[in-house]
Amino acid sequence: MGKCLLRNCKESNYFLCFDRDEGKFIRRGTNGENPFWNVIGPELLDISITNFCERECDFCYRASNRHGKFMSLKDYEYIIEQAENIGVLQVALGGGNPNQHPAFIKILELTRKHWIIPSYTTNGQGMSEEIYFATKKYCGAIAVSWYPPYNDAMNVIEKCHEFGIKVNIHFMLNKETINEAIDLLENHHIDILKNTNAIVFLNYKPIHTSSDLNLKFSENIDKFLNSIKKVREFKIGFDSCMISYLAPITEYFIDETVEFCDAGRFSAFISEDLILYPCSFYNDTKKTGIDLNIHSLQAGWQGGTEFTKLREKLSVASKQEYPIELCERCQKYQICHGGCQVFDINRCER
Ligand code: SF4
Ligand code: SF4
């Protein structure tokens, strides 16, 4: 497999360059404007191959548990063939705890066979030597969830270092965990971080859990953002669901690395039941997904109701009402596009 892929997405008016080894990505609009979406298909597919998880954490947005279902290998192959045909470049395997899937190594191999780079997020349980070997062979990077007890995460970081695998920490940020995040940033736990590629902060989504824990109710958001501004020793990333929190400090970031919600524009989610949604957080809500047993992946992407609705909301505000009243007067609107259009998780009030 070549290291860099250069693609002319002419139907979508942009070029893309994707470094398959490093996972780095550049899009450049052919008409001088930032590309808004890929009309052929997503660049990234988030696939839940199981809703099984032995940890059964009470904050899990999927309510994953020990009775969770596994996607069949046949269904996975059915998706991945379609994904290759519509130009998907990366697959993020999630769950549940994806590495507990009985055919996990086969899934990694199959993904790569279709010229797509897999990555996954683990809670650290069930990571065998064979899985580390396969990860090194097939994956771009992995992420480990950061919550107590931390020894599982620490073991994964140590093993990834041993195997030469790029590993990120996924830190779920809410009203309760923000103080721990500040501590991690301020007190530079270098021993933990020296073998880690980056800490990626994920905005809390109250799907099966209480909205009282929403990040916006924390009194320490500015303190957290100040800690972010000071970090020089290691890399920090965020999910695009954090954009309304970062909008006030975007001058601290390189412009090209800042992106508003890309669900339904460049990424999509498929559940273990083969239901397609713009992002994983639609699952288990009242929103209707697209059944891939009936419709093709491309048809769902191009014409699914939730996809077209979300793209309409995220498109320039002149074509629609502003999602939040404040957005109309906000100088950061072009960067943020109103944050999350689906869940009440933005810093700014609706
Ligand atoms: S729709 Fe909301 S929750 Fe989903 S990816 Fe976009 S910002 Fe995040
Ligand atoms: S007011 Fe709207 S555009 Fe401005 S930061 Fe808040 S959500 Fe984003």
Side-chain angles (χ1 to χ4, degrees), residues 59 173-176 204 209-217:
F59 53 80
L173 205 57
N174 69 17
K175 189 185 163 191
E176 277 184 354
Y204 169 78
T209 48
S210 170
S211 47
D212 293 350
L213 291 177
N214 280 6
L215 185 58
K216 68 177 176 178
F217 298 128

Side-chain angles (χ1 to χ4, degrees), residues 312-326:
E312 214 167 281
K313 284 184 174 175
L314 287 166
S315 66
V316 281
S318 57
K319 289 191 193 151
Q320 50 129 25
E321 284 183 18
Y322 286 89
I324 299 167
E325 219 184 304
L326 267 179

Side-chain angles (χ1 to χ4, degrees), residues 227-327:
S227 307
I228 292 287
K229 288 192 257 179
K230 287 187 269 179
V231 169
R232 295 285 176 277
E233 297 82 357
F234 48 89
K235 287 195 267 182
I236 294 184
F238 301 90
D239 64 359
S240 58
C241 323
M242 284 288 297
I243 189 74
S244 65
Y245 294 84
L246 304 174
I249 61 159
T250 44
E251 64 274 21
Y252 286 88
F253 305 114
I254 300 163
D255 288 354
E256 288 78 8
T257 64
V258 181
E259 185 157 45
F260 58 94
C261 170
D262 69 355
R265 301 191 306 120
F266 299 104
S267 66
F269 168 79
I270 299 171
S271 72
E272 57 283 355
D273 300 322
L274 292 199
I275 309 294
L276 174 74
Y277 298 98
C279 81
S280 59
F281 308 105
Y282 278 68
N283 205 63
D284 302 344
T285 65
K286 292 199 176 106
K287 311 234 176 260
T288 316
I290 293 113
D291 188 345
L292 296 180
N293 291 297
I294 302 170
H295 304 283
S296 73
L297 176 54
Q298 188 171 48
W301 171 259
Q302 292 179 329
T305 310
E306 293 301 338
F307 282 83
T308 45
K309 249 205 270 185
L310 184 56
R311 285 194 284 265
E312 214 167 281
K313 284 184 174 175
L314 287 166
S315 66
V316 281
S318 57
K319 289 191 193 151
Q320 50 129 25
E321 284 183 18
Y322 286 89
I324 299 167
E325 219 184 304
L326 267 179
C327 298

Side-chain angles (χ1 to χ4, degrees), residues 4-291:
C4 280
L5 174 120
L6 189 62
R7 179 181 290 166
N8 181 0
C9 307
K10 51 181 184 306
E11 303 83 356
S12 313
N13 295 323
Y14 72 98
F15 289 103
L16 69 80
C17 179
F18 175 51
D19 182 329
R20 287 181 151 129
D21 292 341
E22 293 291 315
K24 289 185 181 132
F25 204 96
I26 300 170
R27 288 189 206 109
R28 189 175 171 83
T30 44
N31 55 8
E33 286 178 18
N34 282 337
F36 179 68
W37 74 297
N38 190 306
V39 303
I40 303 298
E43 295 167 353
L44 171 77
L45 260 186
D46 204 347
I47 305 180
S48 170
I49 53 173
T50 180
N51 200 19
F52 170 91
C53 184
E54 59 286 269
R55 296 275 290 254
E56 302 188 332
C57 299
D58 52 9
F59 53 80
C60 178
Y61 74 91
R62 294 285 331 268
S64 297
N65 57 63
R66 288 165 194 264
H67 309 288
K69 179 180 171 185
F70 294 96
M71 181 186 281
S72 73
L73 197 55
K74 191 165 153 263
D75 282 351
Y76 188 78
E77 191 155 20
Y78 170 69
I79 292 170
I80 217 72
E81 276 170 11
Q82 293 185 57
E84 182 188 2
N85 291 338
I86 61 171
V88 172
L89 298 167
Q90 298 183 77
V91 156
L93 299 168
N97 191 16
N99 56 277
Q100 294 284 28
H101 193 294
F104 185 61
I105 293 176
K106 185 76 196 152
I107 284 173
L108 297 182
E109 188 189 349
L110 199 62
T111 311
R112 198 77 185 210
K113 195 177 126 201
H114 286 276
W115 304 95
I116 297 172
I117 310 296
S119 63
Y120 63 95
T121 306
T122 179
N123 67 21
Q125 294 273 311
M127 289 290 288
S128 62
E129 291 285 307
E130 291 73 23
I131 289 177
Y132 283 110
F133 273 115
T135 302
K136 176 67 186 161
K137 189 167 174 194
Y138 302 120
C139 293
I142 71 165
V144 63
S145 305
W146 187 257
Y147 39 69
Y150 299 107
N151 48 334
D152 280 342
M154 307 275 256
N155 285 342
V156 171
I157 294 168
E158 209 178 299
K159 287 300 270 185
C160 284
H161 179 60
E162 193 184 313
F163 277 80
I165 298 165
K166 198 189 269 187
V167 60
N168 294 314
I169 287 176
H170 274 184
F171 192 115
M172 190 270 297
L173 205 57
N174 69 17
K175 189 185 163 191
E176 277 184 354
T177 62
I178 193 167
N179 290 332
E180 194 198 331
I182 295 167
D183 177 60
L184 197 59
L185 295 168
E186 293 275 330
N187 297 320
H188 298 173
H189 296 274
I190 296 298
D191 282 347
I192 305 167
L193 297 169
K194 71 173 190 249
N195 295 330
T196 311
N197 179 54
I199 308 180
V200 181
F201 292 102
L202 314 173
N203 194 358
Y204 169 78
K205 287 95 182 170
I207 310 296
H208 286 278
T209 48
S210 170
S211 47
D212 293 350
L213 291 177
N214 280 6
L215 185 58
K216 68 177 176 178
F217 298 128
S218 167
E219 288 166 0
N220 287 333
I221 294 167
D222 289 329
K223 197 171 171 200
F224 169 74
L225 295 176
N226 279 332
S227 307
I228 292 287
K229 288 192 257 179
K230 287 187 269 179
V231 169
R232 295 285 176 277
E233 297 82 357
F234 48 89
K235 287 195 267 182
I236 294 184
F238 301 90
D239 64 359
S240 58
C241 323
M242 284 288 297
I243 189 74
S244 65
Y245 294 84
L246 304 174
I249 61 159
T250 44
E251 64 274 21
Y252 286 88
F253 305 114
I254 300 163
D255 288 354
E256 288 78 8
T257 64
V258 181
E259 185 157 45
F260 58 94
C261 170
D262 69 355
R265 301 191 306 120
F266 299 104
S267 66
F269 168 79
I270 299 171
S271 72
E272 57 283 355
D273 300 322
L274 292 199
I275 309 294
L276 174 74
Y277 298 98
C279 81
S280 59
F281 308 105
Y282 278 68
N283 205 63
D284 302 344
T285 65
K286 292 199 176 106
K287 311 234 176 260
T288 316
I290 293 113
D291 188 345

